[in-house]
Every structure is written in C-alpha cells, then in structure tokens.
C-alpha cells in the first residue's frame, strides 16, 4: 500500500525524541509500569510493528497528515506522550471553546428553549461519542497518528484529498468569522472605518503566533463581559434582572433548520483529538478526559447561549457581542473593552487558523519544495522569495474580498456548522469506526451507528440549505 501523502513536519527537539528501535518495549516500559494499577478505559495496546515505515513518508503534498516524526535522514523517531490527563482536558476545552459560541443565543432565538436545549445536548453527546471512537481507532491501529492518517486508512489518497478540502473550507470560514466580528465591533463604535482595517489585521500572519495566549484571554474576557453586562442594567433588553421575551418553541418551524448548524458549530474540534490522544502520557484515560472536556464545554456553551437569549430574547443579533455593543444603556467603557477584546482575537488567532491553509496550497503548487529545504544537519529551514511572498499576499486579498462579500456572522457560523462540522465530527468518524473497527462492532451498535450516519447526513443537507437560503429574521 502506498504511503499517505504528507507534508514535511516541523523539526522536533532532540530532547523530546525517543529513538524507535525494532522493539518498542524500551519506549513503553516506563508508562506500563505506572499504568498497571490504574483503571483502564482501553486495554494496553499490543507491541507495534515499527518495521512498516510507510506512515512516516515525508514526501508530502497536503496538510492534514502531520504525523509526529523526526526529520533525521537516517532514522525514524516518534514523540512519546507527554500530556497528563489534566493537560489533555485543558487542551480539549481550549480547542472546543471558540467564537462559534457567540452565536448560540441566536440559535435559541431560532429554535426556542425546548428544541434549542435538546439540540445542544444531542450535539454534545454525539460529538463526545465520536471523539472517543477516534481514540478507539487509534488504539487498534497503532500506526495511525492523525485524523488525516485515519482518513487515508479508510479511503486512500483521493479520499484524503476530499477530507483536506473540508479542512480548508472550515479554516477559511473560521478566518472569515474572525474578520467579520472584528469589522462589526469597530463599525459600531466608528461607522467609517475603512477597508484597510482588514489588511492591517492580516499583515502579521507569520509573526504573531507567539501571542496565541492572548486569544484565550480575549475569549474568556468576552464571555465574562457578557455575564457582567446582564447585571449592569435593570431595563430590557440587555438585562438578566428583567429578562426579555423568549419562546418555548420556534417562532417559525423553518427556523429550526437554520439552528442545526449553529448548535453543531461549537463542537468542531475533531481533527485535533487524534493528536491529543497520541500526546497523552496515559492514553487509556482518554475516555474520561473526553467526558470531562465535553461536559465543561457544554455547561459553558449553554450558559452563554441561555444568558444571551434571556438578555435579548427575540431581539438578539447574530452575535451577542454585537447586541451588547449596540445597546446604549451600558456604560461607554463596555464598548471600549469589547472593542479591544474583539481586536485582539483576529490578531492572535488568524496566524494559527490560516497557517494550515497556507501550508496546503504551498505544497499543492510546489512552493514548499522550492523554499523549504533540509540543511546539513537534517533540519528543515524556511526561505522566502518573490513567489512565496506574492502567493501569501494573494491569499490575504482573497480573504479580504471574501469577508467583504460575506458579511453575516450568523449565516456563516450556521453554514460551517451544517456543511462542515456534521461531516467532520459525526459522519466521517462514524464511517471510520464502522470500517476500521468492524470486528469489535456488535449488531446493535452497528445499527445505531448507521442511524447516526443517516441522521448526520440529513442534518447536513437541511442545515446547509437553511443557512444559504434563509434570511435571519430581525
């Protein structure tokens, strides 16, 4: 079987590498000795046949199969798991918590309390189940490292290309949501902000990833600001002391289809979970870590969704931040704080979100092969030339034009949740598990998985249609 297409991975620091010999017992001995008395969600894996190096081929064409391998010329190396269960939980929650949660009040507005609460619970439960399915696949197939590896094992090279397309669309859409939120915030405060603001927010794509922590801080700051604002005024809308008018059922049944994508959007972290599993010091704790991560994320998502809906009811905008900033009853400092936080988000997150897209098209068009070389020590070095600089400038222009044309944050989140998240987080993991772990799937479980696949595909079609064809009611 030909090796899955991959791109050259980043050089790994030798202090963190463990040389892989023909016998893997030297790697696993420390972990096994510590794990014997622990409760196990998965049994300890069998010895790995490291003689098959096909999964470590570094002649890459696309992004999503970044297996953690050494760039040494004469040996293959693998990072042993370094993350504790607590660190994995933190990383999982950080992956799941994103700006999609800012549209959850709109989801409740479109679906009502009953169906909105039900959709959020079902989405959390199903995506948690499929995340654990990915962990079981990785346990059974030790040679697989990433979501892309699983996709390749399932359907081969061309199926991997299809999955890559989904990743690129998802990341491109995430970039647009960041820019739209940034633009909305500054337009409310200063209506004549020129389009150059977009360019200024995109310029430091390759220089600001060091500030990624600011993205986490700004997200937490936005969430806290929403809760605090609910107690600053005692007039509706915008107050938790005097809640706005809400509904138990959807005001219009067709609106329920639109909310399908909104309630799925916060759970779009599945491409990262295989990496988190492989990086665990004790992988058998992945099930418990996943349960805790999804429970905490669900509680946080429901809290901000319900809070925003109680504050603004049927008057809530497609982003709770926009609703707050348009409310003149709050102190002026609230707008200033939210503006700063919303300005930090694209600057801190865009370099990380757009990097995989840039890496993908540079590999597809042969730019990486021209400018990324191995030095005499066997480490990758990046160089820049006119072609590479122009391609990145062109990408920024495409991103800018797309953001100017697609101006609805709520519709974009609904589209990404329906078209991408249902596919990547439900349909594909269920298909992967049904084929790659078929020997361990019972008749009842197999039937339930098939029902889940049908449900996911149906929700994808209906939700995507609604996100494109329906207009968000004022």
């Amino acid at each position: 079987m030909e090796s899955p297409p991959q791109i050259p991975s980043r050089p790994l620091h030798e202090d963190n590498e463990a040389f892989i010999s023909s016998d893997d017992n030297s790697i696993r001995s420390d972990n096994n000795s510590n794990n014997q008395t622990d409760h196990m969600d998965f049994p300890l894996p069998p010895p790995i046949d490291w003689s098959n190096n096909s999964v470590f081929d570094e002649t890459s064409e696309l992004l999503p199969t970044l297996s953690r391998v050494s760039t040494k010329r004469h040996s293959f190396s693998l990072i042993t798991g370094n993350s504790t269960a607590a660190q994995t939980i933190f990383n999982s929650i950080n992956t799941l918590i994103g700006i999609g949660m800012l549209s959850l009040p709109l989801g409740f507005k479109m679906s009502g309390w009953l169906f909105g609460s039900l959709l959020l619970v079902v989405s959390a439960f199903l995506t948690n189940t499929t995340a654990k399915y990915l962990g079981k696949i990785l346990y059974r197939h030790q040679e697989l490292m990433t979501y892309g590896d699983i996709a390749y094992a399932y359907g081969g090279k061309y199926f991997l290309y299809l999955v890559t397309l989904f990743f690129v669309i998802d990341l491109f859409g995430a970039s647009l949501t960041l820019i739209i939120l940034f633009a909305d915030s500054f337009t409310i405060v200063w209506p004549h902000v020129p389009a150059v603001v977009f360019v200024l927010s995109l310029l430091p794509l390759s220089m600001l990833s060091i500030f990624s922590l600011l993205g986490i801080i700004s997200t937490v700051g936005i969430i806290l600001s929403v809760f605090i604002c609910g107690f600053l005024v005692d007039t509706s809308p915008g107050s938790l002391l005097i809640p706005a008018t809400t509904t138990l059922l959807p005001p219009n049944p067709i609106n329920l289809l639109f909310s399908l994508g909104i309630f799925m959007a916060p759970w779009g972290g599945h491409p990262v979970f295989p990496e988190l599993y492989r990086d665990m010091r004790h992988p058998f704790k992945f099930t418990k870590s996943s349960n805790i991560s999804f429970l905490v994320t669900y509680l946080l998502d429901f809290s901000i969704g319900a809070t925003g809906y109680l504050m603004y009811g049927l008057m809530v905008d497609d982003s709770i931040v926009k609703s707050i900033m348009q409310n003149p009853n709050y102190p002026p400092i609230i707008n200033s704080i939210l503006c700063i936080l919303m300005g930090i988000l694209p600057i801190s997150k865009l370099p990380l979100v757009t990097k995989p897209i840039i890496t993908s098209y540079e590999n597809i068009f042969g730019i990486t092969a021209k400018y990324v070389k191995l030095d005499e020590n066997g480490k990758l070095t990046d160089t820049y030339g006119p072609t590479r600089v122009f391609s990145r400038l062109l990408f920024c222009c495409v991103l800018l034009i797309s953001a100017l044309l697609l101006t609805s944050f709520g519709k974009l989140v609904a589209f990404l949740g329906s078209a991408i998240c249902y596919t990547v987080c439900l349909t594909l993991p269920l298909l992967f598990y049904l084929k790659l772990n078929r020997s361990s799937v019972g008749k009842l479980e197999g039937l339930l998985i098939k029902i889940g696949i049908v449900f996911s595909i149906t929700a994808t079609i209906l939700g995507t249609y609604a996100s494109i064809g329906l207009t968000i009611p004022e």
Side-chain angles (χ1 to χ4, degrees):
M1 183 177 68
E2 62 175 327
S3 60
Q6 301 176 345
I7 67 167
S9 58
R10 292 187 300 108
L12 305 174
H13 197 285
E14 292 185 0
D15 292 341
N16 293 328
E17 292 184 345
F19 178 74
I20 302 300
S21 62
S22 60
D23 183 1
D24 69 317
N25 292 332
S26 60
I27 299 176
R28 298 167 57 229
S29 59
D30 291 340
N31 286 344
N32 289 350
S33 62
N34 294 332
N35 297 345
Q36 290 175 353
T37 60
D38 290 337
H39 171 72
M40 295 169 56
D41 294 307
F42 300 114
L44 287 176
I48 307 168
D49 180 13
W50 295 106
S51 60
N52 179 11
N53 293 329
S54 61
V55 295
F56 299 114
D57 185 2
E58 296 183 358
T59 58
S60 154
E61 297 179 15
L62 292 175
L63 171 75
T65 53
L66 278 173
S67 298
R68 292 165 294 171
V69 296
S70 170
T71 56
K72 292 180 180 179
R73 292 177 178 175
H74 304 297
S75 67
F76 290 98
S77 302
L78 175 68
I79 293 286
T80 55
N82 293 315
S83 296
T84 63
Q87 291 171 327
T88 301
I89 291 172
F90 174 82
N91 290 333
S92 299
I93 294 174
N94 185 35
T95 298
L96 292 171
I97 294 177
I99 60 175
M101 67 167 55
L102 300 179
S103 65
L104 287 176
L106 173 65
F108 280 103
K109 169 186 173 180
M110 303 291 279
S111 61
W113 284 113
L114 179 61
F115 288 101
S117 301
L118 181 63
L119 282 173
L120 191 59
V121 169
V122 171
S123 298
F125 173 77
L126 292 179
T127 51
N128 181 30
T129 300
T130 54
K132 290 182 288 189
Y133 276 173
L134 292 176
K136 291 180 180 180
I137 292 173
L138 293 174
Y139 154 72
R140 191 175 188 85
H141 302 272
Q142 292 293 313
E143 73 278 8
L144 305 179
M145 302 294 293
T146 68
Y147 193 102
D149 291 341
I150 297 174
Y152 180 86
Y154 174 84
K157 179 174 66 175
Y158 294 105
F159 185 79
L160 174 60
Y161 291 162
L162 178 62
V163 173
T164 301
L165 177 62
F166 279 110
F167 288 165
V168 171
I169 295 174
D170 187 25
L171 293 172
F172 191 82
S175 302
L176 293 181
T177 58
L178 285 168
I179 298 173
I180 291 171
L181 275 179
F182 177 77
D184 286 344
S185 302
F186 278 84
T187 301
I188 291 169
V189 177
W190 182 25
H192 304 292
V193 175
V196 72
V197 169
F198 292 101
V199 179
L200 293 177
S201 70
L202 293 172
L203 283 179
L205 284 177
S206 61
M207 299 181 290
L208 295 178
S209 59
I210 191 173
F211 298 112
S212 59
L213 179 60
L214 291 177
I216 301 174
I217 296 175
S218 62
T219 302
V220 173
I222 292 170
I223 295 172
L224 292 177
S225 298
V226 172
F227 287 111
I228 293 173
C229 286
F231 296 98
L232 291 181
V233 296
D234 56 1
T235 58
S236 184
S239 174
L240 287 174
L241 302 175
I242 304 179
T245 301
T246 60
T247 61
L248 180 64
L249 299 175
N252 186 339
I254 197 68
N255 292 349
L256 185 62
L257 299 180
F258 188 93
S259 66
L260 290 174
I262 292 179
F263 286 113
M264 179 56 68
W267 311 104
H270 279 55
V272 180
F273 285 115
E275 298 280 357
L276 297 178
Y277 174 88
R278 283 297 184 215
D279 195 52
M280 289 193 72
R281 188 177 302 169
H282 307 296
F284 56 85
K285 296 182 179 180
F286 181 75
T287 292
K288 183 177 180 180
S289 300
S290 179
N291 290 337
I292 295 174
S293 301
F294 276 82
L295 176 60
V296 172
T297 304
Y298 165 76
L299 293 175
L300 187 57
D301 285 347
F302 181 81
S303 297
I304 193 168
T307 298
Y309 190 40
L310 285 172
M311 290 170 62
Y312 288 93
L314 300 179
M315 298 177 63
V316 71
D317 215 317
D318 60 356
S319 164
I320 184 61
V321 171
K322 188 189 298 186
S323 296
I324 291 176
M325 297 185 71
Q326 290 175 332
N327 192 333
N329 295 326
Y330 296 123
I333 192 175
I334 294 296
N335 277 9
S336 300
I337 292 174
L338 288 176
C339 249
I340 293 173
L341 294 175
M342 296 308 299
I344 291 174
L345 269 179
I347 294 176
S348 59
K349 287 182 175 291
L350 274 173
L352 303 177
V353 174
T354 56
K355 178 62 176 175
I357 304 176
I358 293 172
T359 304
S360 292
Y361 74 69
E362 285 188 350
N363 281 292
I364 291 173
F365 293 108
I367 299 175
T368 299
K370 183 177 180 180
Y371 292 104
V372 180
K373 304 291 185 180
L374 286 173
D375 62 17
E376 61 275 5
N377 297 319
K379 294 184 177 181
L380 294 175
T381 57
D382 277 345
T383 59
Y384 291 87
T387 303
R388 203 176 196 191
V389 172
F390 176 77
S391 68
R392 296 198 176 189
L393 178 61
L394 181 62
F395 170 74
C396 290
C397 293
V398 171
L399 196 60
L400 168 61
I401 295 172
S402 301
L404 291 173
L405 295 176
L406 304 173
T407 58
S408 174
F409 175 76
K411 287 177 69 69
L412 186 56
V413 171
F415 172 79
L416 294 174
S418 297
I420 304 299
C421 292
Y422 272 107
T423 302
V424 175
C425 301
L426 286 184
T427 305
L428 291 182
L430 291 175
L431 289 172
F432 295 160
Y433 187 74
L434 197 60
K435 177 179 179 179
L436 300 179
N437 283 32
R438 57 182 174 273
S439 61
S440 61
V441 178
K443 291 184 177 179
L444 178 59
E445 185 182 17
L447 176 62
L448 293 176
I449 290 176
K450 292 176 182 178
I451 293 174
I453 293 172
V454 173
F455 164 78
S456 179
I457 294 175
T458 303
T460 299
I461 297 172
L462 295 178
T464 302
Y465 161 76
S467 66
I468 297 175
L470 298 183
T471 302
I472 300 177
E474 298 296 335

